[in-house]
Amino acid sequence: MKEVVAPMIKAPQGHLRGRAAWMISQFVKTVMKDVAFFQAITSEMMTLLGDPDLPVRFQAAVALRGLIYNPEESAPREGIEELIGSVFPQLLQEMFNLMDQIGSDELIATVEVLIECFAEQAAPHAENL
């Protein structure tokens, strides 16, 4: 992951960035094994939400859902609050913008995870839901 997928996140070709985000979403358990790598990848996925290519933004949003939420524990992943908490309003707005462009159940699931994990911070944004 570190040698092949992570460098593709910054590739000049959009399809490579999108594929890297997809790979991250498929191998979250591998990413989670290294805390520093997990933090770096999570930050990169948040950055990709501003990518000029729509498919890249979509795949980054899907990857974020897996990075934020641990379905086995039905809880946010350990350490995610520190990464997401300070940028939550901007992250939620990026998700809303993306949902305006693409109607997708996967995006809705990502927003649901964000709201569940960051309920207190989501309250002021409830009117946009």
Side-chain angles (χ1 to χ4, degrees):
M1 293 293 281
K2 290 180 183 179
E3 290 81 26
V4 177
V5 177
M8 286 189 342
I9 292 170
K10 297 184 187 271
Q13 300 86 3
H15 69 280
L16 291 178
R17 294 189 306 275
R19 183 55 71 179
W22 179 84
M23 289 287 293
I24 296 299
S25 72
Q26 299 301 304
F27 295 98
V28 170
K29 288 183 181 182
T30 302
V31 172
M32 296 299 302
K33 291 179 181 179
D34 181 340
V35 174
F37 185 58
F38 162 70
Q39 292 173 339
I41 289 296
T42 302
S43 294
E44 290 291 343
M45 291 302 108
M46 288 189 291
T47 301
L48 285 181
L49 288 175
D51 196 272
D53 294 330
L54 183 60
V56 175
R57 294 193 308 268
F58 174 77
Q59 291 297 338
V62 172
L64 274 172
R65 183 176 70 234
L67 293 166
I68 292 169
Y69 188 75
N70 184 345
E72 294 169 1
E73 296 180 9
S74 297
R77 295 197 185 273
E78 187 176 324
I80 198 67
E81 290 87 5
E82 294 81 30
L83 288 170
I84 304 285
S86 63
V87 296
F88 178 79
Q90 296 88 348
L91 181 59
L92 194 58
Q93 188 58 51
E94 288 292 334
M95 290 295 175
F96 290 148
N97 293 342
L98 194 53
M99 287 174 63
D100 285 343
Q101 296 173 3
I102 300 177
S104 167
D105 291 342
E106 290 184 275
L107 288 176
I108 292 168
T110 301
V111 171
E112 287 174 351
V113 161
L114 281 169
I115 291 168
E116 181 179 331
C117 294
F118 299 94
E120 289 181 18
Q121 288 179 289
H125 304 280
E127 68 183 42
N128 292 331
L129 300 174

